[in-house]
Each structure stands twice: as C-alpha cells, then as structure tokens.
Amino acid sequence: MADITTVDLVQIVFWFLAGCISFYFSIGNARVWTSISMGFFLIFLSQLYVIEKALDMPWTAYTQLEAIHYIIGTIAIMVMTHGFQEYYIFSRTLELGGSKAAVYLTVLGVVAASVVFVFINPEPQYTVLRNISMIENTTWVFLSLVNLDMVRKIYVQIRDSVIAKGFIGFGIVFIALFLWKGAELYLQVYNWDADWNIIMQNLGGVVPDLYQGRRGFSATVHDYAGLFSGLSVGGTFIYLLKLLR
C-alpha cells in the first residue's frame, strides 16, 4: 500500500460512495439517473486500478490492463455527460426516451469493444500508454466544461425544486475535475510529467531542469484539486440523498 497516496484513497472511497448513491437514485422509475450513475460507477472502476497496482496484483504486469483503465475513465465522463444532457432535457420537457436496459447494454458493449480493440493491437508500450492517458485527460477537461454549463442550465430550470442546491454541488465538482485533469494535461503537454521523466531515463536522456516553479505549482493544483474532487462528489451525493429523504 506504500504507493497509494492519501489523494488516491480519498478519491476511491468517495467515488465508490457516489456510485452507490447515484445507483440508488436510478432504482425504480428514476430512469433519468441511469447514465449518471453508470458514469460515476465507471470512474470508481477506473480509480480502483490504483489499489490493484499498489498491491502488485499479478494482472497489473500487463500493460493492456493499464490502457483499459484509461479508456474506462474516458468512457465514464462521456456516459456521465450523456446523463446530464438527458437530465437537462427532462427538466424542460418532463419526457425521457429509452430504457435503463438499453443504457446498461450500450455501456457494456462499448467497454467490451474497447477491450477487444486493446487486445487485437500490439501490446502498448509506455509511450503509447502516455498517449492514451493524454486522450483521457483531454476528454475530461473538455467535457468538464460542457457539464459545468449543463448543470447551470439544469439549476436554472429546477431552482424552485428541493434538489436544486444539489446541482450547485455538481458545479463545484466539475470545477475541481477541470483543475485536476487540466493540471495533469498541462504537465503532459510540456513533457513535465513523471511518466515522461521515466521514459527519458530508460532512453538514456535527460529532462531539462527548467520552469520548476510552474511544474511544482501544477503538480500541487493536480493533487489538491484531485482530493477536493473526491470530497466534493461524495459530499454532493450525500447532500442529495438527504434532500430526497
């Protein structure tokens, strides 16, 4: 467990909590919560890989698993975004199409197709894994901004309802997620991240020791925003649960 940081543990616990509570919301006729709950549950699965790696589970030696971990993280934010878009439409029209089974089967099919894609292609090396990680971070940064605007629109539509303040909480969550993933993406774009340092060491190269202030500040933003994203998402769902009881 030595490689698991406090940020990792807090995120895993609170993402699991968020996934459970959002799944609880989707039980019964609350079809509108189905995609959102699936998104939060997939994030938990994605973050769970950190524990598996720290415990040195035998299957973590396969780089394909790490690639799948990043891809599931990407699918998670896409499914969640679809859920908030559905909620916005529902808040305006009180109409919702499709079924819960269709959402579950579609997400399962996309994950299965991604697994097949990874295993029929060459085993991903560290540079490839870093590229996949950058795609995940880019998707999170862009869709966090989209979701921030979406929850604002939902709040305007339902501001007189019991759960309206819960969507202010979601706004705080997506600001934290934007900073968390954005800081990591910034470090990757300029080759200042830890993975690039390891790759250069393996190649016998040296990473220039420049811009230490910006690198340190970005790493600090990444750590604190990651911690706050876990706390805020857990707190938001606990608050929503309290409002709906």
Side-chain angles (χ1 to χ4, degrees):
M1 299 287 285
D3 294 329
I4 301 179
T5 65
T6 303
V7 174
D8 293 331
L9 279 176
V10 168
Q11 285 182 324
I12 290 166
V13 170
F14 280 91
W15 283 121
F16 176 69
L17 186 65
C20 290
I21 296 176
S22 60
F23 180 73
Y24 170 75
F25 289 161
S26 72
I27 295 175
N29 295 322
R31 158 71 181 83
V32 71
W33 281 99
T34 307
S35 296
I36 296 174
S37 68
M38 284 296 295
F40 279 104
F41 181 70
L42 288 176
I43 293 172
F44 164 69
L45 287 184
S46 177
Q47 293 298 109
L48 193 61
Y49 179 78
V50 176
I51 288 184
E52 296 172 4
K53 198 169 182 178
L55 293 176
D56 200 23
M57 296 293 188
W59 53 82
T60 57
Y62 298 96
T63 56
Q64 290 96 337
L65 185 66
E66 187 166 350
I68 293 169
H69 146 74
Y70 292 134
I71 292 173
I72 288 178
T74 306
I75 295 171
I77 187 66
M78 295 172 71
V79 173
M80 196 188 308
T81 302
H82 176 257
F84 279 108
Q85 288 175 336
E86 280 193 316
Y87 203 108
Y88 174 59
I89 293 172
F90 176 75
S91 69
R92 289 177 61 88
T93 65
L94 298 181
E95 293 181 359
L96 198 64
S99 65
K100 293 168 68 172
V103 175
Y104 292 137
L105 291 174
T106 301
V107 172
L108 186 62
V110 172
V111 172
S114 301
V115 171
V116 171
F117 175 82
V118 169
F119 278 94
I120 64 173
N121 278 292
E123 181 180 352
Q125 302 301 310
Y126 290 113
T127 50
V128 175
L129 289 174
R130 185 170 176 273
N131 290 340
I132 298 174
S133 172
M134 288 182 70
I135 293 172
E136 181 197 15
N137 286 331
T138 304
T139 307
W140 271 84
V141 168
F142 174 70
L143 292 184
S144 290
L145 292 176
V146 171
N147 284 326
L148 192 59
D149 182 54
M150 199 60 60
V151 296
R152 180 190 65 81
K153 291 178 177 177
I154 294 172
Y155 174 77
V156 170
Q157 289 294 322
I158 65 168
R159 56 187 164 191
D160 295 326
S161 71
V162 176
I163 63 170
K165 291 182 179 177
F167 280 85
I168 296 177
F170 279 128
I172 295 172
V173 168
F174 284 113
I175 290 173
L177 291 175
F178 170 78
L179 293 174
W180 175 39
K181 294 293 187 178
E184 185 174 0
L185 181 61
Y186 174 71
L187 291 169
Q188 289 175 323
V189 166
Y190 285 95
N191 296 333
W192 292 339
D193 57 304
D195 288 338
W196 181 256
N197 193 38
I198 293 172
I199 291 170
M200 289 300 291
Q201 286 179 354
N202 291 336
L203 293 174
V206 177
V207 177
D209 190 20
L210 300 172
Y211 304 105
Q212 286 297 324
R214 298 180 195 185
R215 295 160 71 168
F217 177 74
S218 299
T220 301
V221 170
H222 172 263
D223 290 344
Y224 280 99
L227 177 65
F228 189 67
S229 68
L231 293 172
S232 59
V233 75
T236 297
F237 273 102
I238 292 172
Y239 182 60
L240 278 170
L241 187 63
K242 181 181 177 182
L243 291 175
L244 290 172
R245 281 188 167 178

